[in-house]
């Protein structure tokens, strides 16, 4: 399956989504990997994780890059050799990359019931009041994505989702909000874009994902 969707966030930022429908072998035969990443691929425990990793290389190819243009820093944050910024996320049947002139963070998450169980660990649950059960799941997944995206953007040890990252009030229909990081005696502001991604599976029940992008 080729590219699923492209989202242009602003003049210098685009997000590319891949729907992973190919067998492992097709992905593996299509992309070239560095020796380091070939070893990393072979240490991954699940084929699902391997396919997510390889499909990110399909997206890189689509954007005119390859695995050889990418490197990871000591914390695991990806960087491009040409100085553009990149952020990567994968979740079950989808993967996503964002390419930008600015530092960015993205997070893709399958909307699942489980998010409501763990919500008190990462967010203020009163922010889910007066919503239907379905919308509570959506909103909690977006808030999780906001915190993951800001974490990926900043890439700093010691950031707590619950204690340091705060989303400002938003409605699901707005697709945009703001958030703050209170860390190391400073407050930083972020613009957040979010979108629901429909997997469009005709044979089975369609599963929805949230995609969140954070920028300073
Ligand atoms: C590293 C982390 C951000 C990955 O997020 P995830 O939802 O598990 O997985 P995703 O698929 O969305 O993202 C994985 C990608 O993030 C990128 N990434 C990993 N570490 C990163 C970092 N420190 N900074 C930025 N990006 C990072 C990588 O590109 C990785 O994919 P790849 O290695 O295949 O290229 C996450 O596991 C983490 O450590 N979060 C913060 C810890 C925390 O506070 N957790 C919960 C508290 S309640």
């Amino acid at each position: 399956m080729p590219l699923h969707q492209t989202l242009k966030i602003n003049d210098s930022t685009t997000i590319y989504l891949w729907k992973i429908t190919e067998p492992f072998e097709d992905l593996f035969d299509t992309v070239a990997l560095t020796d380091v990443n070939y070893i990393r691929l072979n240490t991954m425990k699940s084929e699902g994780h391997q396919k997510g990793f390889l499909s990110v290389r399909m997206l890189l190819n689509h954007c005119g890059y390859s695995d050889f243009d990418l490197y990871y820093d000591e914390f695991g944050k990806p960087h491009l050799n040409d100085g553009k910024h990149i952020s990567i996320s994968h979740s079950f049947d989808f993967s996503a990359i964002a390419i930008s002139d600015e530092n960015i963070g993205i997070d893709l998450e399958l909307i699942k019931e489980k998010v409501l169980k763990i919500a008190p660990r990462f967010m203020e649950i009163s922010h889910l009041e007066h919503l239907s059960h379905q919308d509570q799941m959506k909103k909690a997944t977006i808030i999780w994505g906001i915190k993951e995206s800001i974490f990926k953007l900043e890439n700093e040890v010691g950031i707590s989702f619950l204690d340091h990252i705060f989303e400002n009030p938003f409605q699901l229909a707005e697709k945009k909000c703001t958030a703050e990081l209170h860390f190391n005696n400073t407050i930083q502001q972020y613009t957040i874009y979010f979108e629901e991604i429909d997997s469009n599976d005709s044979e089975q029940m369609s599963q929805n994902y949230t995609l969140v992008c954070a920028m300073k």
Side-chain angles (χ1 to χ4, degrees):
M1 182 83 183
L3 192 71
H4 180 75
Q5 200 171 343
T6 301
L7 298 162
K8 194 158 172 52
I9 304 296
N10 62 27
D11 283 350
S12 83
T13 308
T14 307
I15 300 176
Y16 304 87
L17 280 144
W18 194 272
K19 185 170 178 186
I20 310 164
T21 54
E22 312 83 346
F24 171 87
E25 291 72 22
D26 288 8
L27 293 167
F28 183 75
D29 290 345
T30 310
V31 298
L33 294 178
T34 63
D35 290 347
V36 171
N37 280 339
Y38 178 72
I39 292 167
R40 190 169 161 216
L41 181 77
N42 283 310
T43 61
M44 290 174 188
K45 293 196 181 82
S46 76
E47 190 177 281
H49 190 193
Q50 289 180 317
K51 284 167 64 168
F53 186 81
L54 290 170
S55 66
V56 165
R57 275 68 200 165
M58 298 292 253
L59 286 169
L60 284 172
N61 288 0
H62 174 84
C63 299
Y65 293 105
S66 80
D67 195 37
F68 293 83
D69 299 309
L70 185 78
Y71 66 94
Y72 291 89
D73 68 20
E74 59 189 302
F75 303 108
K77 178 167 170 139
H79 300 270
L80 286 168
N81 283 327
D82 68 0
K84 288 246 186 206
H85 294 271
I86 183 167
S87 186
I88 296 174
S89 186
H90 17 67
S91 180
F92 296 90
D93 293 339
F94 280 91
S95 62
I97 66 172
I99 310 269
S100 179
D101 289 345
E102 301 160 56
N103 193 5
I104 38 166
I106 59 166
D107 188 57
L108 186 64
E109 295 287 338
L110 179 64
I111 302 169
K112 295 192 300 263
E113 186 75 38
K114 187 185 161 204
V115 73
L116 294 178
K117 283 210 179 78
I118 62 166
R121 285 193 241 154
F122 70 87
M123 64 172 285
E124 171 53 59
I125 53 163
S126 66
H127 295 183
L128 302 176
E129 278 170 7
H130 313 301
L131 292 173
S132 68
H133 185 73
Q134 197 64 22
D135 282 355
Q136 284 185 338
M137 278 167 56
K138 286 183 185 175
K139 194 160 193 177
T141 309
I142 291 165
I143 293 170
W144 172 264
I146 289 171
K147 298 187 179 210
E148 283 275 8
S149 303
I150 291 175
F151 176 85
K152 286 182 182 177
L153 190 159
E154 293 299 342
N155 190 22
E156 272 195 72
V157 177
I159 294 175
S160 151
F161 285 9
L162 186 64
D163 300 329
H164 300 139
I165 305 176
F166 306 98
E167 84 287 357
N168 291 318
F170 67 91
Q171 304 292 324
L172 287 170
E174 288 171 332
K175 297 189 170 189
K176 201 174 169 184
C177 67
T178 56
E180 292 180 355
L181 171 68
H182 297 207
F183 192 60
N184 282 343
N185 299 318
T186 56
I187 298 178
Q188 307 210 60
Q189 319 266 356
Y190 303 86
T191 301
I192 308 291
Y193 302 88
F194 56 86
E195 187 83 36
E196 194 166 329
I197 309 292
D198 187 342
S199 64
N200 294 326
D201 286 327
S202 45
E203 315 95 55
Q204 51 195 25
M205 209 176 72
S206 187
Q207 291 189 303
N208 285 8
Y209 292 74
T210 59
L211 177 71
V212 177
C213 175
M215 309 181 94
K216 276 230 168 94

